[in-house]
């Protein structure tokens, strides 16, 4: 596991927090949700029935394991299975088990921005599937893309599950997809999950649970700034607020200051003023339809080979080729 980049990551965190909190309107990047507490809260989110995404994708993979697995297979040279944003690997394990039990020659390379998630997953796989060849790495998507170009000695399958792409605006999503394409050779595949547009209430409910888990997840970014950068945010004075625009398919998360306040972040030598009801935009969770995914693919120079969906068509996994 690569821990050498840790100081750089902290520098990037500082820089982005400074930029976001001195901007107008204020914003923070959702990629910083994922520390130890954030990982645990995200696990809790994935277990909530209202957060339908995880269950849908698990159904899709479980109901199509043979077809998906055989699409991945290369009988001659085997393959490298690279997963960006692997998290707890729960859904991937269904495929890993199929592949391990059906004589696939492969290495599984999970990559995640959370050091904690990568460590947990590696330990868990060593226990559950001791014969599996695992080569885990900590890193941000854009950071590891360059290194993926080194994986071109045999077929590579890149997986991005969980509608993780939805946390990027379209411009960045196109950039991400085209950088993925640049790492691919003609036999390589990209297997990616996209949450679909649906009843707006269903989307809102997924990001606005009554138990307050999503609120705690959203607010954790402030706790993290307090701990890692010497901030003094009074976290309980911020409210979680979710919006969904059914026209664009964009769900947005905000933190809203319930009163005027002054916040200091020591390591940034920064003092920030909040007006009452001022917002910090923290996350987008984009929802898609076939037309939008085709448009993204075309812009990025990728072709859709096939797709898989669940019974309600809430969610889709697309297979792309260069
Ligand atoms: C990781 N990502 C795709 C999740 C999402 O649905 O946008 C993160 C999340 N945010 C709130 N709930 C879950």
């Amino acid at each position: 596991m690569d821990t050498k980049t840790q100081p750089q990551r902290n520098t990037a965190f500082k820089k982005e927090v400074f930029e976001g909190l001195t901007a107008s309107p204020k914003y923070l990047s959702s990629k910083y949700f994922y520390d130890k507490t954030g990982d645990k809260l995200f696990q809790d989110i994935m277990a909530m029935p209202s957060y339908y995404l995880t269950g849908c994708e698990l159904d899709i993979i479980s109901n199509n394991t043979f077809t998906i697995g055989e699409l991945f297979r290369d009988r001659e040279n085997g393959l490298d299975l690279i997963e960006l944003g692997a998290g707890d690997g729960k859904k991937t394990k269904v495929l890993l088990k199929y592949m391990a039990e059906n004589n696939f020659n492969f290495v599984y390379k999970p990559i995640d921005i959370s050091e904690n998630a990568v460590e947990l997953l590696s330990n868990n796989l060593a226990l559950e599937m001791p014969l599996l060849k695992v080569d885990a790495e900590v890193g941000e998507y854009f950071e590891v893309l360059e290194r993926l170009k080194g994986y071109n000695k045999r077929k590579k399958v890149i997986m991005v599950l969980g509608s993780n792409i939805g946390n990027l605006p379209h411009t960045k999503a196109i950039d991400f997809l085209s950088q993925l394409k640049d790492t691919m050779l003609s036999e390589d595949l990209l297997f990616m999950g996209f949450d679909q547009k649906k009843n707006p209430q269903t989307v809102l409910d997924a990001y606005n649970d009554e138990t307050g888990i999503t609120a705690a997840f959203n607010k954790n970014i402030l706790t993290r700034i307090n701990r890692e950068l010497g901030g003094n945010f009074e976290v309980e004075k911020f409210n979680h607020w979710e919006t969904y625009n059914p026209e664009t398919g964009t769900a947005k998360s905000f933190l809203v200051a319930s009163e005027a306040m002054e916040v200091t972040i020591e390591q940034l030598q920064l003092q920030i003023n909040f007006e009452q009801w001022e917002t910090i935009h923290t996350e987008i969770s984009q929802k898609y339809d076939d037309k939008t995914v085709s448009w993204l693919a075309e812009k990025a120079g990728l072709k859709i080979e096939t797709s898989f969906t669940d019974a309600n068509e809430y969610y889709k996994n697309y297979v792309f080729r260069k």
Side-chain angles (χ1 to χ4, degrees):
M1 196 183 313
D2 175 16
T3 47
K4 291 189 290 291
T5 48
Q6 190 55 34
Q8 268 159 294
R9 222 165 273 134
N10 187 261
T11 312
F13 182 41
K14 276 186 181 168
K15 185 169 168 277
E16 289 188 47
V17 169
F18 187 93
E19 277 170 11
L21 293 182
T22 52
S24 179
K26 295 177 171 54
Y27 65 89
L28 289 167
S29 168
S30 61
K31 69 182 176 212
Y32 295 115
F33 285 169
Y34 303 90
D35 63 356
K36 214 167 192 167
T37 311
D39 287 346
K40 170 73 180 75
L41 287 165
F42 187 50
Q43 295 278 331
D44 295 344
I45 287 174
M46 289 192 292
M48 300 187 314
S50 60
Y51 191 74
Y52 56 84
L53 289 81
T54 313
C56 289
E57 196 168 44
L58 185 60
D59 281 354
I60 292 170
I61 294 178
S62 307
N63 294 334
N64 299 280
T65 316
F66 173 82
T67 316
I68 298 168
E70 294 305 320
L71 261 174
F72 290 3
R73 194 195 288 269
D74 182 320
R75 289 193 187 269
E76 228 169 273
N77 304 309
L79 68 132
D80 291 312
L81 182 64
I82 300 164
E83 182 171 10
L84 301 183
D88 68 355
K90 184 177 170 195
K91 295 162 281 185
T92 312
K93 274 191 221 162
V94 177
L95 280 171
L96 294 177
K97 286 202 174 112
Y98 173 80
M99 292 166 76
E101 283 162 12
N102 289 278
N103 304 316
F104 279 62
N105 165 16
F106 75 109
V107 172
Y108 174 51
K109 185 169 182 58
I111 300 171
D112 203 283
I113 190 174
S114 164
E115 217 169 308
N116 172 57
V118 169
E119 201 172 312
L120 288 176
L121 177 60
S122 303
N123 294 342
N124 174 277
L125 287 174
L127 274 177
E128 273 188 34
M129 305 177 71
L131 297 180
L132 192 73
K133 289 184 197 144
V134 182
D135 177 20
E137 201 172 324
V138 179
E140 231 187 81
Y141 293 169
F142 287 97
E143 192 181 287
V144 294
L145 282 171
E146 262 311 300
R147 274 177 269 159
L148 289 189
K149 290 184 183 156
Y151 283 80
N152 56 10
K153 290 184 190 72
R154 59 179 183 174
K155 180 175 182 175
K156 112 177 137 276
V157 177
I158 305 171
M159 296 206 304
V160 187
L161 303 184
S163 203
N164 281 340
I165 192 167
N167 296 134
L168 301 175
H170 287 324
T171 46
K172 280 204 175 161
I174 292 168
D175 199 22
F176 177 48
L177 288 169
S178 62
Q179 289 193 49
L180 282 174
K181 181 214 63 188
D182 289 344
T183 73
M184 291 164 72
L185 299 175
S186 58
E187 70 269 29
D188 294 345
L189 297 176
L190 172 64
F191 183 76
M192 196 179 268
F194 290 74
D195 193 19
Q196 301 289 298
K197 285 184 179 172
K198 58 185 65 62
N199 184 335
Q201 194 59 54
T202 308
V203 175
L204 266 184
D205 291 347
Y207 294 90
N208 215 11
D209 60 287
E210 279 173 2
T211 52
I213 298 173
T214 308
F217 181 61
N218 195 7
K219 290 181 198 181
N220 182 52
I221 198 163
L222 302 183
T223 312
R224 185 169 182 187
I225 293 173
N226 285 350
R227 190 184 58 248
E228 292 185 24
L229 304 181
N232 68 350
F233 275 104
E234 291 178 88
V235 177
E236 65 291 347
K237 292 190 176 160
F238 286 82
N239 300 332
H240 167 71
W241 190 257
E242 191 70 25
T243 65
Y244 177 62
N245 179 341
E247 186 177 50
T248 60
T250 312
K252 282 188 177 185
S253 301
F254 297 91
L255 291 167
V256 186
S258 61
E259 58 184 71
M261 59 189 121
E262 200 177 88
V263 174
T264 306
I265 304 178
E266 265 176 22
Q267 285 196 34
L268 301 180
Q269 295 178 312
L270 182 67
Q271 207 173 58
I272 324 145
N273 291 309
F274 283 88
E275 309 258 5
Q276 190 181 26
W277 308 129
E278 194 176 340
T279 53
I280 310 174
H281 174 218
T282 51
E283 188 179 50
I284 75 157
S285 300
Q286 184 63 40
K287 309 304 162 200
Y288 302 88
D289 48 29
D290 281 341
K291 216 172 129 195
T292 309
V293 176
S294 298
W295 172 74
L296 291 174
E298 196 196 313
K299 288 271 171 199
L302 286 164
K303 291 180 202 80
I304 299 174
E305 182 150 308
T306 184
S307 66
F308 302 88
T309 192
D310 56 290
N312 294 317
E313 301 197 5
Y314 273 10
Y315 192 96
K316 277 190 185 174
N317 287 85
Y318 296 77
V319 178
F320 301 91
R321 209 182 268 280
K322 190 170 180 167

